[in-house]
Amino acid sequence: MNQPTSQPLRFAKTLLLLMLTSTVNSPAMAQTPKKVDFAHDIVPLLKARCAECHTNGKYKGSFSLDTREAILKKKAVVPGKSAESELVKRITSDDPEQRMPSKGERLPAREIDLLKAWIDQGLPWQEGFTFKISAYVAPLKPRRPELPPARDGHDHPIDRIVDAYYLQNQVAAPALADDATFMRRLFLDAIGLLPPPEELDAFLQDTSSDKRFRLIRRVLDDKVAYADHWLTFWNDLLRNDYQGTGYIDGGRKQITTWLYRALLENKLYDQFVRELISPSPESEGFINGIKWRGRVNASQVREVQFSQNVSQVFFGINMKCASCHDSFIDRWKLDDAYGLAAVIADQPLEIHRCDKATGTMAAPHFPWPELGTIDAAQPKAKRLEQFARLVTHPDNGRFTRTIVNRLWQRLMGRGLVHPVDIMANKPWSEDLLDYLAVYLADQKYDLKKLLEHVVSSRAYQSRHGTQTAEGSAEEYVFRGPEVKRMTAEQFLDALWLITGTGPTKVVAPIPPLPKGTPNRLLVRAALVNADLLMRSLGRPNREQVVTTRGNVLTTLQALDLSNGQILFDTLARGAANVLKANAKATPEQLIEVIYLRALCRKPSTVERATAREILGPTGSAEGMADLLWVVFMLPEFQLIR
């Protein structure tokens, strides 16, 4: 570990690394004229010209176009380098034995250029999409599966299902995570904070058999920390923020006060959703969406936003493609998208296909009419009430499956159904998905009880699984919790808590805390506007629904973490704060304090020696800033294992 002695040195190191590893400035990328739209540009082209010979079980020349992974496995395409890709050589070849497609006319220049641009832009592919027609049909109604017998004394219902899955798939069950790993994981997942060293020490010294369950209860009972943390999840999901497009000119309305109170009170999920869809003035911002300034595409008017957002958030359906025309990527039709949009329309809503009026008016329509219908003759408020009841109908298993899948993904790193917004995909365990959905309903839609149930299982408390290189969702095998990156908010909360550099004022218009509530340890990142560092670390602008954030370090993030001015200044102030708060501590004690607070463990002998060298014999402010930077850059700090 080298000492990051100054900002210019860090910049030089990072710049050299980026020059050696980055492909951002490659000629192919630089010449890309415009971003290729996979769903609208590539899918129709491949369906029309390539699918007959290379998809859905018919793979001429052993070449499959079913998935991005299948294309890469055959090495027919080099992402970012169309000139080196065999696919391009074939579609441009004059040799009748080599040319693709082998039958019919060759591809016109426009389509060839489109495929080249697609490859040069890295072969973008909608997550979860496949040309292979699945025999799986996602059920609608809830199903209560029969629990397998307990194995090895694992009585928890989740573990009974997971253990049976391990046995069926010949997977060795991972061992339990150690107490410190479990406590750090639980705190970050449940309330978004690192555990205090004194609480960690008490937990490690506790020898009682039920100490993990008692810790779970205590952590989830921290109402304020819970609300502060989960506000981020729901802000992303519900397009809610405190500044940005629409807030200045009245084209958008935030729901923060209502949302925070709902989290603080642990409002039951079915009621939570009903209040969003059939709203009060406090909660109407979500369904009203954003009124964009100027002329907008027909698929972005407020009524169609309602269709897209409600279907994505509560049903795991991508209705955006179907908002313009019948979807290329799933079964949803233009009439389905406009049927939902008509529920909220103030006046008759004309269907537009590819932004052109069709002359046909949309009628309110629920995606699953077997659950009930919406009376088009009723005023909008009544239609929304009817729609809210259908969304939360006890027989609507898609409603409960979608939210338990989202929460499983947040806790375990990957959903039971992947991706989380394509709930028509087959889960890796139908029994577990159905069990959790029914469990939530049995608990009267109490999300905290669901979280408690999952984190109290051995499946959650196990060591993280080692994943193999399965390409598609169909090939995925669950081997235990996956390693997750801290969100921007988790990273900054940890940084601010350790260094005492957090903001002093809450920006979010949250309601006053109940009397007797302990003061916050700090003003959380979720409660303030995003700065440039928070943006680069992944906090979205929330103009669109965001259900998952990127889990891979980007070039921009690497630059900001290595040389960004915001982090540099924060660490300089933080170093002074740490030294002041530990004025009588020796360098050895300072090192131990930092490691315990950041990593929930003491440093090793080698780490102590390196840290002493960085900190210096007197523990200077510059040395402390460098030590903090080194620790915060460790994967062990930034990852939730």
Side-chain angles (χ1 to χ4, degrees):
M1 185 184 298
N2 295 320
Q3 179 180 355
T5 54
S6 67
Q7 190 177 20
L9 178 58
R10 296 179 199 168
F11 178 78
K13 288 179 179 178
T14 307
L15 183 60
L16 178 60
L17 177 64
L18 292 173
M19 290 172 65
L20 292 172
T21 62
S22 177
T23 61
V24 170
N25 295 319
S26 67
M29 293 292 283
Q31 295 171 9
T32 301
K34 67 182 184 69
K35 187 175 180 180
V36 172
D37 186 324
F38 174 73
H40 292 84
D41 296 333
I42 302 302
V43 172
L45 193 162
L46 295 180
K47 276 187 175 181
R49 305 306 302 271
C50 310
E52 182 180 349
C53 297
H54 298 289
T55 66
N56 200 38
K58 188 176 180 181
Y59 309 121
K60 191 173 181 179
S62 301
F63 178 46
S64 169
L65 283 168
D66 280 343
T67 64
R68 186 178 190 274
E69 293 79 11
I71 296 173
L72 296 177
K73 188 175 183 180
K74 192 64 178 177
K75 299 182 179 178
V77 167
V78 181
K81 300 179 181 179
S82 63
E84 300 177 19
S85 297
E86 180 67 20
L87 176 63
V88 173
K89 294 176 183 177
R90 292 296 187 98
I91 63 177
T92 57
S93 174
D94 292 324
D95 185 344
E97 297 296 323
Q98 297 291 320
R99 181 172 67 87
M100 291 177 56
S102 58
K103 299 177 182 179
E105 297 180 359
R106 69 184 307 157
L107 297 183
R110 183 188 67 81
E111 293 183 351
I112 291 174
D113 289 343
L114 197 58
L115 288 174
K116 285 181 178 179
W118 177 50
I119 295 170
D120 287 337
Q121 292 176 27
L123 209 71
W125 193 284
Q126 180 167 320
E127 189 178 26
F129 174 75
T130 176
F131 283 104
K132 189 173 183 180
I133 299 173
S134 174
Y136 175 75
V137 178
L140 176 61
K141 290 193 174 183
R143 179 181 72 95
R144 191 180 299 273
E146 182 178 347
L147 293 177
R151 297 177 60 232
D152 301 324
H154 303 164
D155 292 328
H156 195 293
I158 291 176
D159 295 324
R160 290 167 68 173
I161 296 173
V162 170
D163 284 349
Y165 172 90
Y166 285 151
L167 184 64
Q168 180 181 356
N169 289 274
Q170 299 180 331
V171 172
L176 277 177
D178 62 79
D179 283 343
T181 299
F182 163 72
M183 188 173 186
R184 188 177 194 269
R185 181 191 299 171
L186 174 67
F187 265 67
L188 286 169
D189 283 344
I191 58 174
L193 296 171
L194 293 172
E198 60 275 13
E199 292 189 29
L200 173 64
D201 183 61
F203 183 68
L204 296 179
Q205 298 301 320
D206 190 345
T207 59
S208 57
S209 59
D210 66 340
K211 68 176 187 178
R212 290 195 177 191
F213 185 73
R214 286 188 288 106
L215 179 67
I216 291 167
R217 279 279 176 88
R218 182 169 62 79
V219 170
L220 287 173
D221 281 345
D222 189 337
K223 296 180 179 180
V224 174
Y226 173 88
D228 287 353
H229 172 57
W230 286 96
L231 185 65
T232 292
F233 172 81
W234 288 107
N235 276 343
D236 283 4
L237 209 59
L238 301 176
R239 300 173 77 183
N240 186 58
D241 216 329
Y242 321 130
Q243 63 177 3
T245 300
Y247 289 126
I248 295 175
D249 61 6
R252 188 178 180 187
K253 184 178 180 180
Q254 60 173 295
I255 60 172
T256 307
T257 304
W258 174 88
L259 177 57
Y260 192 88
R261 186 181 298 115
L263 294 172
L264 200 63
E265 297 171 354
N266 191 32
K267 189 181 294 289
L268 299 177
Y269 184 59
D270 60 339
Q271 183 63 27
F272 177 93
V273 172
R274 283 194 291 269
E275 290 182 21
L276 281 171
I277 294 175
S278 179
S280 67
E282 266 195 330
S283 61
E284 66 183 358
F286 171 64
I287 64 168
N288 287 343
I290 301 174
K291 183 178 181 180
W292 302 101
R293 287 183 289 183
R295 185 186 182 279
V296 298
N297 185 287
S299 64
Q300 277 302 299
V301 298
R302 277 180 154 173
E303 295 88 350
V304 180
Q305 289 178 49
F306 169 86
S307 173
Q308 296 168 353
N309 297 339
V310 167
S311 58
Q312 181 179 0
V313 172
F314 303 126
F315 302 145
I317 293 174
N318 182 348
M319 202 66 82
K320 290 183 179 178
C321 198
S323 300
C324 190
H325 46 70
D326 291 348
S327 178
F328 297 135
I329 57 178
D330 52 37
R331 73 176 184 85
W332 299 103
K333 306 297 183 184
L334 186 64
D335 286 349
D336 294 315
Y338 271 86
L340 284 175
V343 173
I344 199 175
D346 289 309
Q347 54 193 11
L349 181 65
E350 185 174 9
I351 297 175
H352 285 66
R353 184 180 299 276
C354 298
D355 213 26
K356 294 181 180 179
T358 64
T360 302
M361 309 309 288
H365 172 71
F366 190 65
W368 297 281
E370 58 265 45
L371 295 180
T373 58
I374 299 167
D375 186 353
Q378 293 293 321
K380 181 174 76 171
K382 288 294 183 182
R383 297 197 304 270
L384 288 170
E385 285 181 16
Q386 292 175 350
F387 182 65
R389 286 196 296 270
L390 291 175
V391 170
T392 60
H393 193 290
D395 285 342
N396 188 358
R398 175 61 72 89
F399 171 65
T400 46
R401 289 185 183 101
T402 298
I403 187 59
V404 300
N405 189 58
R406 293 196 190 286
L407 295 181
W408 182 274
Q409 187 272 334
R410 292 285 292 190
L411 296 173
M412 307 295 276
R414 181 181 173 118
L416 291 153
V417 178
H418 179 79
V420 293
D421 289 331
I422 307 183
M423 286 299 292
N425 283 353
K426 187 175 182 178
W428 58 259
S429 173
E430 291 181 73
D431 281 352
L432 184 52
L433 179 64
D434 286 344
Y435 166 75
L436 290 173
V438 170
Y439 178 86
L440 176 61
D442 287 345
Q443 302 303 315
K444 302 186 186 301
Y445 302 90
D446 187 326
L447 292 183
K448 269 196 182 182
K449 287 187 177 179
L450 176 67
L451 292 172
E452 178 187 294
H453 195 54
V454 175
V455 300
S456 63
S457 70
R458 184 183 178 91
Y460 173 83
Q461 297 181 24
S462 296
R463 293 178 185 172
H464 62 83
T466 302
Q467 295 302 324
T468 57
E470 294 103 345
S472 67
E474 292 179 348
E475 297 171 321
Y476 174 78
V477 177
F478 177 72
R479 290 181 169 85
E482 296 196 5
V483 175
K484 309 182 292 289
R485 282 189 65 204
M486 283 181 173
T487 63
E489 291 84 353
Q490 287 170 326
F491 179 88
L492 288 170
D493 283 345
L495 171 68
W496 294 341
L497 191 59
I498 293 170
T499 61
T501 53
T504 58
K505 184 179 179 182
V506 171
V507 172
I510 60 175
L513 297 179
K515 289 184 179 180
T517 303
N519 292 330
R520 289 184 176 87
L521 293 173
L522 77 162
V523 173
R524 304 282 293 272
L527 304 178
V528 298
N529 292 325
D531 59 19
L532 292 177
L533 177 59
M534 210 182 300
R535 288 277 187 234
S536 77
L537 290 178
R539 176 161 157 176
N541 63 19
R542 294 167 177 153
E543 291 177 0
Q544 301 295 331
V545 168
V546 176
T547 57
T548 55
R549 297 188 187 178
N551 204 38
V552 178
L553 187 72
T554 67
T555 302
L556 177 61
Q557 290 166 359
L559 284 169
D560 266 347
L561 290 174
S562 298
N563 313 291
Q565 193 65 47
I566 294 175
L567 181 60
F568 183 79
D569 292 343
T570 301
L571 293 179
R573 290 186 291 114
N577 291 342
V578 171
L579 292 173
K580 183 178 180 180
N582 299 274
K584 297 182 179 180
T586 65
E588 286 286 338
Q589 291 170 329
L590 287 171
I591 292 167
E592 190 162 296
V593 165
I594 297 303
Y595 269 78
L596 281 171
R597 297 190 73 183
L599 306 178
C600 297
R601 65 172 178 84
K602 294 181 179 180
S604 67
T605 301
V606 173
E607 288 170 331
R608 284 182 186 275
T610 305
R612 280 197 300 269
E613 182 181 347
I614 295 171
L615 190 57
T618 60
S620 66
E622 183 180 3
M624 174 56 71
D626 285 343
L627 176 60
L628 289 168
W629 181 83
V630 167
V631 172
F632 293 152
M633 294 306 104
L634 290 174
E636 184 181 352
F637 175 76
Q638 296 187 26
L639 298 178
I640 305 172
R641 297 182 181 274

